[in-house]
Amino acid sequence: MAKKNIVDTVISGGGHVVILGAGASIASTIKNPEPSGKQLPSMDNFIEVVGLKDIVEKLPPDLRDSNFENLYSKLHAANPKSKEIQEIEFRVSDYFKSMKLPAVPTIYDLLVLSLRSKDLIATFNWDPFLYHAWCRNYNCGDSPQIAFLHGNVAIGYSKELREAGYPGKHPKDSGVYFEPTQLLFPVTNKNYNQDDFTIGQWELTKDFMHSSTTKRLTIFGYGAPSSDVEAIRLMSEAWGDPSKRNMEQVEIIDIRPEEEVRKQWDKFIHPGHYDYGTNFFDSVIAHFPRRTSESWFCHYLPITTEDAFIGSHPIPKEFKTLQEMWNWFKPLIDQEEKFKAESPTK
């Protein structure tokens, strides 16, 4: 009965923002690896994993660095149009754009299916996993909005149409080319106002974070490196003073110690209003899929004790096929469709 109450309860309000970092992509493929065997690199092993060592070995000693972001910044400062910069940008894009999700359900699939159109997933990752998961689950209920804060190999942008699309795709009716989005920024000058696409992605994210209807913020596998100080500033300004967001709940999914990540995200958290877990399946998203806003309202603002959620409706940890996964989510989606039909203005 408790699970049925959760499935059947649908409201129109609320909102949930999820910020993704590299840890989310790693978590999504750690059990079911990328089909071709490609690794997701860190900035410290990036040069070896992506295959840039031959370029680096030919550089003057003062331009070399074992950390990829530092290396790129040095090269950019020396000559942003150099042949080395161009070759690095080509290889980075080529490495990531050929990546694919495995054919079986992943955490990215579960994440996309567990949120709705009133929610937003914003990613800092270059890999195409979020986009692929969003596409292959698009017809299974209404989907969350997605934003790519550092560009993405699966996304291009047309200045003429002011629209995003698959890179290089030529619409039949216009022949417009979707320019690949910029992936690399010098670490010392990450300017998120330098092109229309990036500006739009950040504006969408900031609008969601600033909105009074957004009651939940989840930070999944994002380490907030020192190179992203501008990104943290923009998000913090959008979220606002945590003392004035005394009802919002922040959730952190991270394998690092709780004390470390709690301190790192302190400027976003009202005292006591945060949750911490090391695994996606520990999260409110996994315990209340497609009902994260409902769980917030029923926890903090129940009209009667009967309105409060009892227990949870956790996603199973094992789905053998996409169809099995879709079948599990169907009762939740059916209730949403019923709610829309009965309350068309909502």
Side-chain angles (χ1 to χ4, degrees):
M1 288 302 295
K3 289 183 179 180
K4 184 178 187 305
N5 181 45
I6 294 170
V7 171
D8 291 350
T9 302
V10 182
I11 63 172
S12 58
H16 195 150
V17 173
V18 180
I19 306 294
L20 301 181
S25 289
I26 292 170
S28 193
T29 55
I30 195 167
K31 187 173 183 180
N32 298 297
E34 196 277 332
S36 67
K38 284 190 172 181
Q39 292 179 255
L40 285 163
S42 69
M43 288 302 120
D44 289 325
N45 68 5
F46 198 98
I47 293 169
E48 290 74 23
V49 171
V50 177
L52 305 176
K53 195 172 181 180
D54 61 312
I55 299 175
V56 176
E57 289 176 344
K58 296 176 182 177
L59 295 173
D62 61 312
L63 293 180
R64 298 179 191 176
D65 200 291
S66 60
N67 180 280
F68 175 70
E69 282 195 314
N70 294 335
L71 169 75
Y72 184 82
S73 292
K74 289 181 180 181
L75 289 173
H76 194 276
N79 181 2
K81 301 293 184 181
S82 70
K83 63 179 183 180
E84 289 85 4
I85 284 273
Q86 294 175 24
E87 180 63 21
I88 285 172
E89 290 175 345
F90 171 79
R91 292 193 194 181
V92 170
S93 177
D94 187 63
Y95 183 87
F96 281 94
K97 71 183 180 183
S98 62
M99 285 184 158
K100 293 180 174 61
L101 282 177
V104 295
T106 68
I107 286 175
Y108 270 148
D109 294 292
L110 301 178
L111 176 62
V112 168
L113 284 171
S114 296
L115 299 171
R116 288 148 54 190
S117 57
K118 58 189 177 60
D119 307 316
L120 171 75
I121 305 172
T123 181
F124 284 95
N125 299 330
W126 296 331
D127 65 69
F129 297 153
L130 174 62
Y131 178 74
H132 288 171
W134 189 83
C135 287
R136 74 183 185 182
N137 295 289
Y138 184 76
N139 292 322
C140 193
D142 72 331
S143 300
Q145 299 187 55
I146 52 178
F148 300 95
L149 303 177
H150 271 187
N152 192 270
V153 294
I155 302 295
Y157 184 75
S158 167
K159 293 181 180 178
E160 292 83 0
L161 295 179
R162 298 181 68 84
E163 292 179 0
Y166 195 78
K169 182 178 180 181
H170 296 262
K172 293 180 180 179
D173 59 342
S174 64
V176 174
Y177 177 70
F178 285 84
E179 187 75 25
T181 53
Q182 181 175 348
L183 305 180
L184 303 180
F185 298 84
V187 67
T188 53
N189 183 29
K190 287 192 174 180
N191 182 2
Y192 297 123
N193 291 311
Q194 65 183 18
D195 65 80
D196 290 346
F197 173 79
T198 307
I199 291 171
Q201 299 300 288
W202 273 99
E203 288 302 316
L204 175 63
T205 302
K206 290 191 293 183
D207 285 347
F208 261 86
M209 293 188 71
H210 184 69
S211 173
S212 60
T213 63
T214 297
K215 298 302 181 184
R216 289 193 181 276
L217 171 64
T218 295
I219 301 161
F220 183 8
Y222 177 50
S226 58
S227 60
D228 275 352
V229 61
E230 177 65 7
I232 302 304
R233 183 188 68 80
L234 291 172
M235 290 191 294
S236 179
E237 288 179 356
W239 185 246
D241 184 350
S243 69
K244 296 180 180 179
R245 305 205 71 151
N246 60 330
M247 297 300 290
E248 284 78 355
Q249 194 76 6
V250 175
E251 175 179 61
I252 304 168
I253 307 171
D254 203 301
I255 60 173
R256 293 175 296 164
E258 180 177 359
E259 183 178 348
E260 179 181 339
V261 295
R262 172 66 176 82
K263 182 178 180 180
Q264 188 171 45
W265 295 105
D266 187 64
K267 64 175 63 177
F268 290 82
I269 299 171
H270 184 81
H273 284 233
Y274 87 100
D275 298 300
Y276 163 82
T278 60
N279 190 293
F280 171 78
F281 293 100
D282 297 332
S283 70
V284 69
I285 302 171
H287 279 275
F288 298 97
R290 305 188 72 84
R291 300 292 184 269
T292 61
S293 291
E294 285 81 355
S295 71
W296 183 91
F297 281 108
C298 291
H299 180 75
Y300 288 105
L301 304 172
I303 298 172
T304 69
T305 54
E306 287 76 20
D307 294 321
F309 281 2
I310 300 173
S312 64
H313 183 48
I315 302 172
K317 293 183 179 180
E318 298 288 342
F319 287 114
K320 294 181 180 179
T321 66
L322 294 174
Q323 189 61 57
E324 182 185 359
M325 175 182 66
W326 293 332
N327 290 344
W328 189 89
F329 278 93
K330 189 175 185 301
L332 291 156
I333 295 166
D334 287 346
Q335 284 302 123
E336 295 160 24
E337 295 301 322
K338 179 181 178 182
F339 174 79
K340 290 177 185 177
E342 294 176 349
S343 310
T345 60
K346 299 179 180 181

